[in-house]
Amino acid sequence: MVLINHKEVTKKPTADNPNNEYILRLRWTLYTNNMLTVLVNYRGYPMQYIMQKKHPLETVVIPLLPDGDNKMLAQTYLKIVFNDFDQRNKEAILDIFIEDNLQRIEVEFKPKKKP
């Protein structure tokens, strides 16, 4: 889970979201035929991606904020890259990158809760 706090948000905090954070949830559900099914939920919008370890199917880009006036500098997005799948441990290896040149957001990664 990734908590994204928009520094420029001017709306009032609510009981459900006291810190004006948007939550990005990410998990994989199925690995078959060298394809990984990834479920992403950001700002309440569920998305599903089928990723493979070949270009361009290994990368997913998710815009986090609308572009500002200068589209080159103001882009704020998250990039998920599928690197590998460990068959023995049944673990997907994903890299997560965040592009935010103007420092418009604060990001906090929360590990999966242990049962």
Side-chain angles (χ1 to χ4, degrees), residues 40-47:
V40 177
N41 188 316
Y42 180 58
R43 298 178 66 181
Y45 298 102
M47 298 164 274

Side-chain angles (χ1 to χ4, degrees), residues 31 33-36 50-60 80-85:
Y31 182 74
N33 297 331
N34 295 323
M35 295 184 291
L36 182 72
I50 307 299
M51 302 178 80
Q52 294 183 15
K53 291 191 318 178
K54 60 183 177 182
H55 184 72
L57 301 175
E58 82 276 3
T59 304
V60 171
I80 303 167
V81 180
F82 174 40
N83 278 334
D84 203 0
F85 190 84

Side-chain angles (χ1 to χ4, degrees), residues 69 75 79 95-96:
D69 294 333
Q75 289 183 346
K79 184 185 285 188
D95 286 334
I96 299 176

Side-chain angles (χ1 to χ4, degrees), residues 4 13 18-19 35 52 54 67 74 82 88-89 99 112:
I4 300 169
N19 297 324
M35 295 184 291
Q52 294 183 15
K54 60 183 177 182
D67 294 342
F82 174 40
R88 198 180 85 204
N89 295 326
E99 179 77 25
K112 181 180 174 183

